[in-house]
Amino acid sequence: MLFFPFLKPCPCMLFFLFFTLFYTSTEAYDPLDPFGNITIKWDIREWTPDGYVAVVTMNNFQQYRHISAPGWSLGWTWAKKEVIWQVMGGQTTEQGDCSKFKGNTPHCCKKDPTVVDLLPGTPYNQQIANCCRGGVLSSWAQDPTNAVSAFQVSVGSAGTTNKTVRLPLNFTLKAPGPGYTCGPAKTVTPTKFTTPDKRRVTQALMTWNVTCTYSQFLAQKTPTCCVSLSSFYNDTIVPCPTCSCGCQGNSAQSGSCVDPRAPRLASVVKGAGNKSITPLVQCTSHMCPIRVHWHIKVNYKEYWRVKVTVTNFNYRMNYSDWNLVVQHPNFDNLTQLFSFNYKSINPYGSINDTAMLWGVKFYNDFLNQAGPNGNVQSELLFRKDDSFMFDKGWGFPRRIYFNGDNCVMPPPDAYPWLPNAGSKLEVSLVSYLTLMIASLVVLVLHAYC
């Protein structure tokens, strides 16, 4: 007997129901960056007596999502009993139990090793190309030359031919926390390499790829940023929605917060430690580490100007190479940008309504932790077109992302309103009634005097 009688005429619906209940997706989809992912390429460059030497390369093909300090960590599970003899340009976090080896001791004997990048300043004899940046990986749109990281690994107790080697399993990528889901390794066409003089092309003996995609829902339980709004035509400042990223009364949800007016603030922040990636924020109504404020500043005859301010409320985090992604229908008419870099993302083809903004190198690309210097700002100048208007909140952004995470927007009915014909009509009606009453009073006084 079926639990759902309405499925009797169509057994295929029952199959579909169970498929959707028990199917778990391993990928995430971002409509603003539909092809964005981190691709891990494993190139076997040479065979050794008991295994192989491979170069592992991570390419960040995400337009606006990068990996900041303390950097990435890459893990996997060996398919057999492989060991790592040596790593160049990286290191495993644990060695594991190598007691069965006499003489030469492997670098790592764990069944599930985790590799991290080396720090800047590593001796040259331990480096390879694109290594040693502390695990920091730039986004593709901001800095494609630094959107790649690599290390070389020498694997033993493994296969020594294309038929006997086994692909690692269960790849994991932390950046530095959760959020990325990696698919299985897949054998692909061997990578080709060009020599520095560009006169010879070599190729890998074997290559496999792993694709990792990001999901904000996996990365954190609560949002990480919010948006506030204001304008020159209304005195109302619309704050971030209350409890956007948590509430002060719910420490399990929002984490701890610090009153900026508290005595000995510096000792409190220092005592909390800076190594944890859990935010330590100022106590606010929104409890977000980051607030983005959009202010409609000036209305000219042919242009209009906006001021954007990004404020850091997190005492534990300095945001290097930060970026914003803003959706607004007038970005096709952006005329001038002050102290920010700009790139159109165009996720919908010819419709230019999505912009990526980030700081100028060595000027404001570094967003300090919470405090007097914990903010960056810029102004945007737009040219008016036929669609321009301030009515119904048109001048405010549709959506804002900070470092790839969607920010909480105020509800549309809370936007600063523009004085309109309805309010003028109301004022005119009141004035008319006042005038009528005054006239009646004058007539009555005139009749009795």
Side-chain angles (χ1 to χ4, degrees):
M1 180 177 179
L2 294 175
F3 291 102
F4 306 98
F6 62 87
L7 293 177
K8 288 181 179 180
C10 184
C12 60
M13 292 184 65
L14 180 62
F15 172 78
F16 175 77
L17 176 63
F18 280 100
F19 178 80
T20 54
L21 286 175
F22 295 102
Y23 173 74
T24 302
S25 175
T26 59
E27 296 186 358
Y29 178 76
D30 185 350
L32 299 184
D33 190 13
F35 304 106
N37 65 73
I38 292 181
T39 299
I40 302 166
K41 185 171 59 174
W42 194 296
D43 292 310
I44 296 180
R45 302 302 302 273
E46 61 178 287
W47 302 113
T48 60
D50 69 334
Y52 58 85
V53 176
V55 174
V56 182
T57 306
M58 298 172 55
N59 288 284
N60 185 10
F61 294 120
Q62 298 174 112
Q63 291 290 322
Y64 51 83
R65 187 172 289 111
H66 65 273
I67 297 177
S68 57
W72 56 261
S73 59
L74 179 66
W76 63 85
T77 302
W78 291 118
K80 298 194 292 185
K81 297 181 178 180
E82 294 91 338
V83 296
I84 299 176
W85 285 109
Q86 185 182 28
V87 182
M88 297 281 289
Q91 63 181 3
T92 59
T93 56
E94 296 182 51
Q95 183 183 32
D97 182 11
C98 297
S99 58
K100 69 177 182 179
F101 289 89
K102 308 299 181 181
N104 293 334
T105 304
H107 178 82
C108 179
C109 301
K110 284 181 66 66
K111 178 72 172 179
D112 53 347
T114 298
V115 175
V116 295
D117 195 12
L118 296 180
L119 298 175
T122 298
Y124 290 112
N125 61 354
Q126 300 176 26
Q127 295 187 26
I128 68 167
N130 297 316
C131 84
C132 312
R133 301 193 189 103
V136 175
L137 206 59
S138 297
S139 64
W140 190 257
Q142 281 181 263
D143 189 0
T145 59
N146 289 317
V148 57
S149 186
F151 62 89
Q152 179 178 290
V153 58
S154 178
V155 182
S157 301
T160 56
T161 67
N162 289 23
K163 294 183 179 180
T164 58
V165 72
R166 293 292 179 265
L167 280 61
L169 308 170
N170 305 326
F171 277 87
T172 59
L173 176 63
K174 293 186 177 180
Y180 284 92
T181 301
C182 299
K186 297 180 180 180
T187 304
V188 296
T189 303
T191 305
K192 293 186 178 181
F193 305 92
T194 303
T195 56
D197 60 5
K198 299 182 180 180
R199 301 179 65 185
R200 174 176 165 79
V201 176
T202 60
Q203 74 175 41
L205 302 175
M206 187 177 181
T207 298
W208 56 77
N209 280 357
V210 177
T211 302
C212 301
T213 54
Y214 179 84
S215 169
Q216 184 176 350
F217 299 103
L218 296 177
Q220 59 269 323
K221 296 180 180 180
T222 59
T224 58
C225 56
C226 63
V227 178
S228 58
L229 308 170
S230 63
S231 66
F232 71 90
Y233 53 77
N234 193 310
D235 294 334
T236 302
I237 298 177
V238 180
C240 289
T242 303
C243 296
S244 294
C245 304
C247 298
Q248 293 186 38
N250 187 354
S251 59
Q253 180 186 16
S254 58
S256 56
C257 71
V258 176
D259 187 347
R261 299 166 296 182
R264 299 185 298 276
L265 175 62
S267 60
V268 173
V269 173
K270 184 177 181 181
N274 291 321
K275 292 184 179 181
S276 173
I277 61 174
T278 303
L280 176 66
V281 301
Q282 286 185 12
C283 294
T284 60
S285 61
H286 54 78
M287 290 293 287
C288 289
I290 294 293
R291 183 191 66 194
V292 182
H293 185 75
W294 181 281
H295 174 65
I296 301 177
K297 187 175 182 180
V298 184
N299 182 26
Y300 303 108
K301 182 178 180 181
E302 297 182 358
Y303 300 90
W304 62 292
R305 184 188 291 257
V306 169
K307 182 177 181 179
V308 178
T309 304
V310 184
T311 305
N312 186 4
F313 290 94
N314 189 356
Y315 286 104
R316 281 190 179 140
M317 179 70 74
N318 296 315
Y319 296 91
S320 58
D321 294 327
W322 59 269
N323 66 64
L324 291 177
V325 173
V326 184
Q327 281 192 298
H328 191 280
N330 206 216
F331 268 114
D332 198 33
N333 296 313
L334 180 63
T335 304
Q336 193 171 1
L337 188 70
F338 304 91
S339 72
F340 278 4
N341 289 308
Y342 159 80
K343 181 179 180 180
S344 175
I345 293 182
N346 291 343
Y348 309 115
S350 60
I351 302 176
N352 182 15
D353 67 346
T354 307
M356 179 177 172
L357 311 174
W358 68 96
V360 177
K361 199 73 173 176
F362 306 119
Y363 178 63
N364 58 358
D365 63 327
F366 187 83
L367 179 57
N368 278 300
Q369 65 185 28
N373 299 319
N375 67 86
V376 292
Q377 54 190 0
S378 179
E379 295 191 3
L380 291 71
L381 186 66
F382 295 94
R383 179 175 52 83
K384 297 179 180 179
D385 60 8
D386 294 338
S387 64
F388 170 81
M389 60 179 175
F390 282 136
D391 193 20
K392 300 178 181 178
W394 184 90
F396 297 107
R398 307 301 183 260
R399 226 182 322 176
I400 290 182
Y401 296 75
F402 178 82
N403 280 355
D405 287 339
N406 195 3
C407 299
V408 178
M409 298 286 296
D413 59 352
Y415 285 15
W417 51 267
L418 179 69
N420 53 33
S423 61
K424 292 179 181 179
L425 179 61
E426 183 180 352
V427 172
S428 300
L429 183 60
V430 171
S431 301
Y432 177 75
L433 291 176
T434 304
L435 180 61
M436 289 292 295
I437 294 173
S439 301
L440 289 174
V441 171
V442 171
L443 289 175
V444 171
L445 291 176
H446 180 73
Y448 286 94
C449 294

